[in-house]
Amino acid sequence: SVSWSPVKTITSYVAINHGFTIPSLTETMTPLGLINNDIKPEKAWSYEAGMRFDLFKSRSFIDMALYYMKVSDLIVPKRVEEDFYIGMNAGASLHKGIEVSLQQWLWGKDENSEPSSSSAVINLGYSINSFRFLDFVEGDNDFSGNQLPGIPGNFFTGSIDFITAFGF
């Protein structure tokens, strides 16, 4: 990864990562309790670029990122019995999206950017995601191009953190 700060309050970055995830023990077990030696670890290349803004004497923090990740040998669950699933490799998938987060101090941060004994901070996050199978054929079914199940296209989170002088 490489980052650059043209001014003290703005940082831009790019990152390239390569990694893998090994299957869990439950993903490798067959209905007979044997190890499935055919399942392979997931492998991924990830590319990310973003900017971070530290504004108004560190009372506001904004983080924006774009990401693109290609996963090969994606591990997905396969139902083999009524209540029994095993892991299987599903070819390749492409995960891309945009994430934006905001942290805003409502009160409790003094002029020196130090938190006081009582404070409140609001945290907001929003992402737009597109996670799709690139190559996944199982038997007569071709899932290539389909969206990965269970991954929302839009995701919003929010919280307010309060800290009181009493330690609550």
Side-chain angles (χ1 to χ4, degrees):
S1 67
V2 177
S3 64
W4 176 57
S5 294
V7 294
K8 184 179 177 183
T9 59
I10 299 174
T11 302
S12 60
Y13 66 92
V14 294
I16 300 173
N17 299 290
H18 179 62
F20 67 93
T21 302
I22 59 172
S24 69
L25 181 60
T26 57
E27 290 171 327
T28 62
M29 299 299 285
T30 68
L32 299 175
L34 303 173
I35 300 292
N36 175 6
N37 291 321
D38 294 329
I39 194 165
K40 299 180 263 184
E42 290 180 336
K43 295 175 281 306
W45 279 96
S46 173
Y47 308 90
E48 184 175 340
M51 294 189 76
R52 296 182 174 134
F53 303 88
D54 189 358
L55 307 169
F56 309 114
K57 298 183 181 179
S58 295
R59 287 189 178 86
S60 299
F61 182 78
I62 301 169
D63 191 353
M64 299 184 304
L66 302 168
Y67 64 90
Y68 178 97
M69 181 170 63
K70 186 172 180 186
V71 180
S72 59
D73 295 320
L74 179 71
I75 298 172
V76 297
K78 178 181 180 180
R79 185 177 184 167
V80 292
E81 290 182 9
E82 180 64 30
D83 290 325
F84 196 86
Y85 294 84
I86 62 169
M88 65 175 281
N89 294 109
S93 65
L94 181 62
H95 308 192
K96 56 186 178 177
I98 302 169
E99 298 175 340
V100 178
S101 64
L102 166 72
Q103 181 181 66
Q104 177 65 54
W105 284 78
L106 300 174
W107 74 79
K109 201 160 200 184
D110 66 22
E111 292 297 319
N112 298 324
S113 299
E114 295 295 322
S116 63
S117 60
S118 175
S119 63
V121 179
I122 189 168
N123 298 288
L124 303 173
Y126 180 70
S127 64
I128 300 171
N129 308 305
S130 176
F131 290 22
R132 298 203 173 274
F133 290 114
L134 290 176
D135 175 29
F136 178 25
V137 177
E138 182 187 16
D140 294 335
N141 299 316
D142 186 354
F143 300 102
S144 302
N146 289 358
Q147 185 171 338
L148 268 68
I151 309 293
N154 298 284
F155 191 72
F156 174 79
T157 60
S159 68
I160 299 177
D161 297 333
F162 293 101
I163 299 172
T164 66
F166 308 111
F168 178 70

